[in-house]
Structures are given as structure tokens and as C-alpha cells.
Amino acid sequence: MSNLKKWKVKQDYGAKTDELAKELGVSRLLARVLMNRGIDTKEKGELFLHPEKFRYFDPYLLPDMDKAAARIIRAVTAKEKIVVYGDYDADGITATSLLLTTLQELGADVDYYIPDRFTEGYGLNLSALEMLADKGTDLVITVDCGVKSVDDIKAMQGRMDFVVTDHHLPGDELPEAVAVVDAHRSDSQYPCPELAGVGIAFKLCQVLWQGLKNEPLGDRGLELVALGTVADAVPLTGENRRIVSQGMKAMEHTNIVGLKALSDVAGCTGKTIDTTSVGFYLAPRINAAGRLKSATLGVELLTCQDEAKAAMLAAELNSINDERRKLKMDMQLEAEEQLKKVDIDNTRVLVVVGENWHQGVLGLVASSIETTYYRPAIVIGVSDGMGKGSCRSIPGFNLYEALENCQEVLEQFGGHEMAAGLTIRPENVPKFKELLEIEAKRQMEPEQFIPFYELDAEVSPLDITMEMAEELALVQPCGMKNESPLFGFRNARGAYATLKGTENNHLQFSVVDENRRAVTAMAFHMGDQFKRIDSERLDLVYEAKINEWNDLRQLQCIVKSLDTPLSDEVPVQVERDFLKGLYLFLRECNDADKNVYDDAAWLSVRMRLAGKPATAEAVEQGLRIFSELGLVTIGEDGLCSLVVGTGKMNLEDSPTYRKLNK
């Protein structure tokens, strides 16, 4: 299918938008952006635009927080041996580092443990717990894991106590721990259930600091909380927004030695830290440790007090991240070679399998395939006769539900709606693919496989002032459920195109109008569009930004797309022109050896993505007409075959055509 996308423009709330703009003293454009995010009152708007004014929620609103605090404070005071048990991703590593450092500063006898991704897997495991018990551990505090470790914790009853802190969805049964602190518990009253694992750990630190120091924790360690929160892609709303906004500011002048060293190797020192810096430069280097080697490297770095040692650890993580990038690129190329042999036009879920593919990189490759093809993607690496898979989805396809309905061929699975993991025997993969296709047809309509841009408004970049752009910057930090404001503008005139970058792969031009107004536009990785700028009108999808260079500040639109948006489905008259378009599309598919099946709804989507008007009803009638005229045959497998060399046909010879065109 093509790269065309639909534009989904969010609703304009009319007078309500005007009223909010007046109350907040902001432009109507910003007010509309806020309304689109559910910020519909002056009070909500002021907190959103000034997250530093947001007051942290009471940590005791989290279930079992009182029990957790009492048990941990007792352990700290009595010098019991405590172990923080974390996870190997950036959320788990930052949560482990934060709680470990806090407990050390509170005088605790504390160590940590993070399982190996490859030999132990995610979460608690009995062999590790028995080893910790044998070493005299009195209390295990989990971070970013544990809420589903019912059997493992039950097996250790009487040998040591557990305090579970987690942000994942609990199962039907809670672990038999002293406390289970999770904002997703059904009895939770916590106003921000979307905290990351490190966010839950931060709330615990607030309570412990107050309890043992008799003073508020404040923003101590907030840099780590922000790093883990952004890395885990939780919604950046409510308390998370406050954490990330203030935490990223703290990163720019942090006293955390390891974070300084990490910022140096990532090229972020001396620059403004935003969610892009964290998500693309800092977090991947922390994640790389758990993906390829040992997550303990990440904890050692973030808890390190020695600058020289921190520099060495950061350099090692940087090297591992380079290795991770190469591995991902190599696996991506292998996956793309497999996909060349797949009938992608008629496949709703893409599954690729590789021998000895590195487990730590499977999810990254799955994300790339999902983004490239706008299909749910499952990447399976086979080693020692067993396949481990990582899954990523698109809106409308619930992965966890799909895997539940495919569990007859799976050894193990877990996850949620948009991301999951699985274990499967290689011989079951073909059947798994069949079941996934059935599941995708059950869950989704063909129209849902059309990718789209979600726009805040259609507005010319020439109508956006510097003041408006400065206002729009207040929407940061952006991420899940608070995406960066995105705008559309049709029929733009471009001029003064130049190629930028060492490989001339970036495109810079001006958007102009008849009044000689102009604004600079930057289109990264779109150098191949150079010739279009002066020769045709353009449909822009863009972000409005302020570019600062050599003390000069100017408005700039960052272009996301120059493609004509795919139009919404409209009724189609089944007459000569439509049938000609349908026939030409079938012939193009035939010439390119692309299969076409007797699935009118799916075929109409394929036609629309190719720029041809179609509806499921019109395609169904068209295929019937062609079948009556002998132009198309439909096999038992539903495959439509074009009959070539039939000569000129008279549409009036089709009973269906005559009926539709009386």
C-alpha cells in the first residue's frame, strides 16, 4: 500500500474555545490546542501551562502505602537487610537507582537485584529469591514488577517479607505481600493511575523521606523519575506532566554524577533537555544495557559518585548502544528481505522470524515494521528450538486479546493492548499467522488500516506569529496523550528550495503567498521532494517551532508530510468512469503480480490508498459486473483473476450494470 495518510482534524469547539482563550489570555490557536487535550477550564489551563504549580498528590492515596512505609521504616531503623528488586528496562533501572540511593541516604542496609533478560526473564523468579534469602535478606522491595508474581512470593512466605510497588495491571489475585502499592488496583483512589514504575517508587520515597527525616523530599531525584517516565511512554498528563517538566529542567544542571556523564556521551550537555533528548539520546543508552548485556551497568552509572568511574560506565553504555543500533539495523534488513516475499497488500498482521535474532532488539524491529507498514507487527527470534517474540500494534487491534485467542499455539504470552511478548515453538508459527489474520478481521474494519495524521487545526504557517509559536511551546513536554501540536495547510506555495545536510537529504524552503509573506520550512529526510517545491502546490502537515541560531530567533515550520491527504470515503456511482478505474487498478495489480481477493471492503481501501475513489459497495458491484462480462473469474480461494484478451466489452451486456444505470 502507498504512503498516503488521512487527515483527522480535531473538533473546533467554537465559542467555548473563544471563552477559554479570553480567560487564559492566550491566542485562539493555543486555546483550541488545549481544548483538544481536554483542558477546557481556566483552572485546568493554568495548571497545564504552568506545571511547576501542580502540587504532588498525597502518596497515601495509593493502596497499601501506609503498610509499605511502616514495614520499610522498621527495616531501616532495625538495620534489616533490604534488597530492591527491579526490572531491566529504563523505567526499572531508574526506579531501582532512585529507591536504592534514597534508602542509602536514609541509612538503610540495602542492595539491589535486577534479573537477566535472557536467562531469567521479566519479574520475580524463584531461584533469584532463594539466592537472596540464603544471603540473609529480610525484606524485598520490588519496583516496576511484582504485581503478578503471586506464585513466587507465595513460595517464599516465612523466609522474607515483600513490599510490591508496580504500575502494571494486576491479575485476578494480588501477591501475599506486606503491601502491594499499585495505582491500577481496583480499590485505588489515586488520581494519576498512569504513573510509571519509577513514579510509584518516587511516591514511596516521598513517604520514607518524610517519615525518617521529618521533612518533605521535594524534587530530590526528579531527574531520574523524568528519565524513566519518558522512557516508558506513559501518558504525559497530570502528575506525570509535572514530573517530566520539572525533572527535565533539573537534568540541565543535575548533581547526579552518572547522569552528567550520560548527558556528555549522548551530546546533550549544554543543550535544552526535552522529551526528544530523553527519548532518543538518554533513555536508549540506559535501555541498551538491559537489552544487550546487564542492566546493572545502568544502575551502577546512575548511582555512581565518582566522576572518572561514571565517565567509564557512560562510555561503555554508549558503546553498547552503538552495538544495539547495528544489531537492530542488521535484523531490520533481514526482516525487510522476508517481507519482500509476503503478500503485504493482503496481510493484516506482519510476522517475521529469524534464527538467533537478539532478544533484546526484537521490540525495536517490531516498532519499525509497525511504523513503516502501519500493521501490527510480531518479530520472533528462534534460539535453541524455541521462539521468543515481541509484538507492537496499531489503534484498533488489541494485541493481548488477540494473543489470548491464539494461545492454543503459544507456550507463553503477556503484555497489553499495544505491546506484548510471547514464546512459541517454530513449528506453530504458520498456524499462528492464520489465527492472527482471523483475529484481525474480527477486531478491525479495513478502513482502520488507513494511517492518519491527527491535526489540531488546519491553519497556514503564514498566519502563525512568533507569539503564537512561543505559546505553543508551553504545550511541552509532549508525549503520549499530549502529542506535539500538529497542523495542516492545503495548497501551499513553496519557493527558494535548497538541500541541506552532509548527504543533501534534508529539504529547506519557504512557504509564501501573494502578499510576499514568507516562513521558513524544514523537511528532514525529504530531499527527494526538491523538484516539487517550485512546480506544484503542496499539502503540508507541520509543527510550528522557533528556531534559534547565533542569537537569531525565527519562526520555522517542521514539515512532517508533503503528500496530498487521502480523502474520506464518499458515495461512488457505479458507472463507466468508476468501472474504468476499477479495471485499470485490477490490471495494475495483475501486471505487478499482486493478488486481489474477493473482499470488496479491503479492495476499496487498497484502491483509495492508490488514489482512486471507491467504496466497498461500489467495488462489490463492479466485480459482479466484470464477472458477468467474463472479465474476472473468482476462484474457490477467493482469488480474483483478470481475464486478458477478451476484446472490447459492452457494459450493457451486464444485468447488474443495466439495473444500476436504468
Side-chain angles (χ1 to χ4, degrees):
M1 291 189 178
S2 74
N3 294 322
L4 291 179
K5 292 187 178 183
K6 291 177 70 172
W7 285 10
K8 290 187 177 180
V9 184
K10 295 177 183 175
Q11 178 183 350
D12 187 336
Y13 292 89
K16 289 183 180 179
T17 304
D18 297 327
E19 184 180 346
L20 184 64
K22 185 178 179 181
E23 288 179 340
L24 292 173
V26 300
S27 67
R28 191 181 192 282
L29 184 64
L30 177 58
R32 180 168 177 176
V33 168
L34 295 176
M35 293 287 290
N36 290 340
R37 286 152 181 74
I39 312 299
D40 55 3
T41 67
K42 180 182 179 182
E43 294 71 29
K44 290 180 183 177
E46 287 178 343
L47 273 184
F48 184 88
L49 297 175
H50 303 284
E52 70 280 1
K53 295 180 180 179
F54 191 103
R55 297 187 64 178
Y56 289 125
F57 294 126
D58 181 357
Y60 283 104
L61 292 174
L62 284 162
D64 284 359
M65 182 60 86
D66 53 344
K67 297 175 186 175
R71 180 65 187 90
I72 296 169
I73 289 172
R74 193 177 89 214
V76 172
T77 305
K79 295 293 181 182
E80 292 183 63
K81 188 167 183 59
I82 302 170
V83 169
V84 177
Y85 193 116
D87 184 27
Y88 42 67
D89 68 0
D91 186 16
I93 290 170
T94 51
T96 302
S97 303
L98 176 73
L99 186 55
L100 179 67
T101 303
T102 302
L103 286 169
Q104 286 171 338
E105 290 177 352
L106 291 172
D109 177 4
V110 60
D111 202 351
Y112 76 96
Y113 185 85
I114 296 182
D116 183 273
R117 177 193 289 263
F118 311 108
T119 60
E120 298 175 273
Y122 168 76
L124 301 181
N125 68 85
L126 204 51
S127 59
L129 295 179
E130 287 175 340
M131 178 270 294
L132 293 175
D134 291 342
K135 286 186 174 182
T137 301
D138 299 298
L139 174 64
V140 170
I141 309 171
T142 75
V143 289
D144 193 30
C145 64
V147 77
K148 288 190 176 178
S149 299
V150 176
D151 293 338
D152 293 312
I153 290 176
K154 184 179 290 185
M156 298 302 295
Q157 291 300 306
R159 297 189 65 185
M160 54 188 176
D161 286 343
F162 290 85
V163 168
V164 171
T165 78
D166 202 348
H167 74 123
H168 295 98
L169 288 170
D172 296 332
E173 182 183 354
L174 291 177
E176 293 179 14
V178 173
V180 179
V181 183
D182 190 327
H184 284 295
R185 278 179 51 169
S186 59
D187 58 345
S188 175
Q189 301 298 311
Y190 201 72
C192 182
E194 297 88 4
L195 286 173
V198 70
I200 299 288
F202 179 61
K203 304 308 293 186
L204 178 61
C205 290
Q206 287 180 328
V207 169
L208 297 176
W209 198 267
Q210 184 69 49
L212 287 164
K213 291 271 192 180
N214 199 28
E215 64 184 34
L217 179 72
D219 285 345
R220 293 174 67 92
L222 198 64
E223 304 98 309
L224 297 181
V225 193
L227 175 55
T229 298
V230 172
D232 215 53
V234 293
L236 294 190
T237 56
E239 193 168 29
N240 281 340
R241 178 172 171 77
R242 196 262 185 232
I243 286 169
V244 172
S245 172
Q246 300 309 109
M248 290 193 308
K249 288 179 182 177
M251 282 184 205
E252 295 175 12
H253 47 81
T254 183
N255 292 320
I256 299 175
V257 175
L259 195 52
K260 279 184 181 177
L262 183 68
S263 188
D264 285 343
V265 299
C268 296
T269 301
K271 298 178 181 178
T272 300
I273 300 292
D274 57 16
T275 49
T276 300
S277 314
V278 176
F280 287 91
Y281 300 103
L282 299 177
R285 286 166 168 80
I286 295 295
N287 264 323
R291 287 188 187 281
L292 267 60
K293 294 199 176 175
S294 170
T296 58
L297 285 170
V299 178
E300 293 302 305
L301 173 67
L302 295 178
T303 58
C304 182
Q305 300 298 317
D306 180 81
E307 290 185 3
K309 183 181 178 183
M312 289 177 59
L313 287 167
E316 185 175 359
L317 284 178
N318 196 52
S319 175
I320 294 170
N321 190 54
D322 288 341
E323 184 184 348
R324 184 270 307 168
R325 275 203 296 250
K326 185 179 184 306
L327 264 174
K328 190 250 181 182
M329 190 179 298
D330 291 345
M331 284 169 57
Q332 183 85 32
L333 289 173
E334 287 185 49
E336 291 291 347
E337 282 300 311
Q338 282 190 39
L339 291 172
K340 287 178 182 177
K341 302 171 186 175
V342 174
D343 183 7
I344 289 178
D345 287 313
N346 293 297
T347 304
R348 287 164 166 80
V349 183
L350 299 178
V351 180
V352 290
V353 185
E355 285 288 336
N356 297 313
W357 278 356
H358 200 291
Q359 290 179 33
V361 191
L362 297 175
L364 300 176
V365 178
S367 292
S368 291
I369 293 173
E370 176 270 312
T371 300
T372 302
Y373 296 97
Y374 200 67
R375 297 280 199 286
I378 297 175
V379 178
I380 299 170
V382 177
S383 181
D384 298 326
M386 189 62 73
K388 294 286 182 71
S390 192
C391 321
R392 297 295 182 270
S393 194
I394 62 175
F397 187 71
N398 187 319
L399 266 176
Y400 189 82
E401 184 181 319
L403 296 181
E404 271 192 319
N405 292 333
C406 297
Q407 59 185 303
E408 64 186 84
V409 296
L410 300 175
E411 299 299 304
Q412 200 174 350
F413 69 93
H416 52 82
E417 185 173 345
M418 299 302 288
L422 59 86
T423 304
I424 187 171
R425 295 186 182 278
E427 60 267 25
N428 288 335
V429 170
K431 180 64 175 176
F432 181 45
K433 290 181 181 179
E434 291 177 19
L435 293 173
L436 283 173
E437 286 297 306
I438 293 169
E439 189 63 21
K441 289 177 182 177
R442 183 188 70 81
Q443 285 196 34
M444 297 180 72
E445 297 295 328
E447 189 80 7
Q448 292 175 277
F449 286 90
I450 296 178
F452 60 89
Y453 290 107
E454 198 163 25
L455 307 180
D456 281 284
E458 288 193 52
V459 59
S460 167
L462 295 163
D463 292 332
I464 296 179
T465 64
M466 282 286 287
E467 292 75 17
M468 288 179 187
E470 286 169 345
E471 284 183 345
L472 290 170
L474 296 174
V475 178
Q476 299 289 338
C478 292
M480 185 183 290
K481 292 194 177 178
N482 182 38
E483 288 77 13
S484 188
L486 200 59
F487 306 105
F489 180 53
R490 302 173 193 265
N491 249 356
R493 288 175 56 193
Y496 316 121
T498 56
L499 293 172
K500 298 287 185 179
T502 54
E503 299 177 10
N504 284 333
N505 58 334
H506 306 313
L507 179 62
Q508 181 178 300
F509 62 98
S510 293
V511 179
V512 300
D513 68 6
E514 61 279 0
N515 297 319
R516 297 192 177 185
R517 294 188 302 168
V519 64
T520 302
M522 193 73 207
F524 293 102
H525 307 291
M526 296 187 201
D528 58 340
Q529 303 289 304
F530 176 82
K531 292 181 180 179
R532 293 183 58 200
I533 303 303
D534 289 308
S535 62
E536 59 184 271
R537 292 297 182 106
L538 308 165
D539 293 320
L540 304 179
V541 174
Y542 69 95
E543 295 177 8
K545 301 284 187 180
I546 293 176
N547 184 41
E548 299 189 35
W549 180 255
N550 290 337
D551 296 324
L552 179 67
R553 300 175 80 244
Q554 65 174 9
L555 183 66
Q556 186 179 65
C557 58
I558 306 300
V559 177
K560 301 298 181 182
S561 172
L562 292 168
D563 293 322
T564 301
L566 194 69
S567 60
D568 289 330
E569 188 178 67
V570 293
V572 172
Q573 185 70 30
V574 183
E575 38 67 64
R576 192 172 297 274
D577 285 345
F578 167 73
L579 293 170
K580 179 181 177 182
L582 174 58
Y583 181 82
L584 290 174
F585 179 77
L586 294 174
R587 194 168 72 183
E588 288 166 6
C589 291
N590 184 76
D591 293 344
D593 290 327
K594 292 183 176 181
N595 290 333
V596 173
Y597 288 92
D598 185 21
D599 183 341
W602 185 258
L603 187 53
S604 71
V605 166
R606 287 180 62 183
M607 287 183 65
R608 289 176 58 214
L609 285 168
K612 301 179 186 297
T615 64
E617 184 181 6
V619 169
E620 184 177 10
Q621 292 167 338
L623 290 177
R624 187 180 302 123
I625 290 168
F626 289 165
S627 182
E628 290 170 354
L629 294 173
L631 289 170
V632 167
T633 60
I634 300 174
E636 291 183 4
D637 57 358
L639 187 65
C640 297
S641 300
L642 198 63
V643 180
V644 293
T646 54
K648 192 170 182 179
M649 290 286 176
N650 185 356
L651 291 174
E652 294 291 340
D653 290 340
S654 160
T656 300
Y657 182 81
R658 291 198 305 271
K659 182 179 178 182
L660 292 171
N661 293 274
K662 289 179 181 177

